[in-house]
Amino acid sequence: MKKIIFTLLFILSLTNFAIPLNNMDEAGNVTLPNIELVDQYGKKHNLKDYKGKVIMINFWVSWCSDCKEELPKVLELYKEYGENKKDLIILGVVSPISKKYPNNKDRIGKNELLKHIADNNYIFPNLIDETGKTYAEYEIEEYPSSFIIDKNGHLKVYIKGAVSKEELKQNIDKVLNSVQK
């Protein structure tokens, strides 16, 4: 029964989210757009490089109170699951405002955002979406928004808004422990 409810909730969540439905194969697997961005350390990340691992992507903004509540939990999970050295990759994505991109989602510029990340000790990779392209492709309108992608690169969980650490962990474990076809 839980599986049926989870599947129904997953399908219902997709009805408000156009991107996955545009990238669904015949088997019902959803592939999200690739992300290729640099993190706060200057390291380039490409989702394609993480095929074979489970990926959790957390989109957030500095001014969001729910994000401020959830990000320490994401940090705890990053540490608990081996700091991206095992089967789970945890990535944040931020979109600083700039003169060139005044419609980006955050209200502070890149340097302030990098300082915010450092001051809060968000040591997990936070990818800097300077153009806002990734936020647009993923149609991010609610913060935080999290996506959990399986080892085959298919979307398995989409979460709009903040959730508890336990709920994040349950969803991660469900995807990590699922049998891959």
Side-chain angles (χ1 to χ4, degrees):
M1 185 66 169
K2 273 187 177 179
K3 190 173 184 176
I4 293 170
I5 292 170
F6 176 75
T7 303
L8 180 59
L9 289 174
F10 177 73
I11 291 168
L12 287 174
S13 73
L14 293 179
T15 60
N16 294 323
F17 188 69
I19 288 295
L21 296 178
N22 293 333
N23 295 313
M24 187 179 292
D25 66 18
E26 307 82 41
N29 295 310
V30 174
T31 304
L32 295 169
N34 188 41
I35 296 176
E36 193 170 351
L37 294 169
V38 175
D39 68 18
Q40 74 265 38
Y41 306 111
K43 181 181 180 209
K44 189 175 189 178
H45 295 262
N46 184 329
L47 289 190
K48 291 179 181 176
D49 294 340
Y50 298 124
K51 190 148 187 179
K53 297 192 180 253
V54 170
I55 306 167
M56 185 184 103
I57 308 168
N58 182 270
F59 288 82
W60 63 276
V61 289
S62 65
W63 50 265
C64 162
S65 59
D66 285 344
C67 298
K68 289 175 186 176
E69 243 181 74
E70 186 173 89
L71 284 168
K73 299 168 193 170
V74 173
L75 177 60
E76 288 174 23
L77 291 170
Y78 172 74
K79 290 176 180 178
E80 285 175 29
Y81 283 91
E83 298 184 359
N84 290 358
K85 293 179 181 119
K86 296 182 179 178
D87 290 331
L88 176 68
I89 303 297
I90 293 179
L91 304 169
V93 182
V94 294
S95 185
I97 196 167
S98 67
K99 286 181 182 176
K100 189 172 181 180
Y101 300 101
N103 296 322
N104 279 1
K105 301 301 181 179
D106 217 308
R107 297 177 183 158
I108 59 177
K110 181 179 177 182
N111 289 337
E112 284 178 275
L113 193 52
L114 290 171
K115 183 177 179 342
H116 178 78
I117 290 168
D119 288 350
N120 287 285
N121 203 30
Y122 299 149
I123 61 171
F124 57 92
N126 283 280
L127 312 184
I128 314 297
D129 180 18
E130 292 188 64
T131 66
K133 179 182 177 225
T134 301
Y135 267 67
E137 287 179 335
Y138 278 69
E139 297 185 10
I140 303 301
E141 296 296 331
E142 189 166 334
Y143 315 104
S145 286
S146 297
F147 300 81
I148 302 175
I149 302 166
D150 72 9
K151 294 175 183 182
N152 295 317
H154 301 130
L155 175 65
K156 292 300 173 189
V157 180
Y158 170 55
I159 304 166
K160 274 184 170 180
V163 294
S164 68
K165 177 183 172 186
E166 293 72 31
E167 189 173 342
L168 281 173
K169 189 172 175 56
Q170 285 173 352
N171 282 303
I172 289 167
D173 288 343
K174 190 180 301 179
V175 177
L176 275 171
N177 297 323
S178 67
V179 178
Q180 303 294 319
K181 291 182 181 179

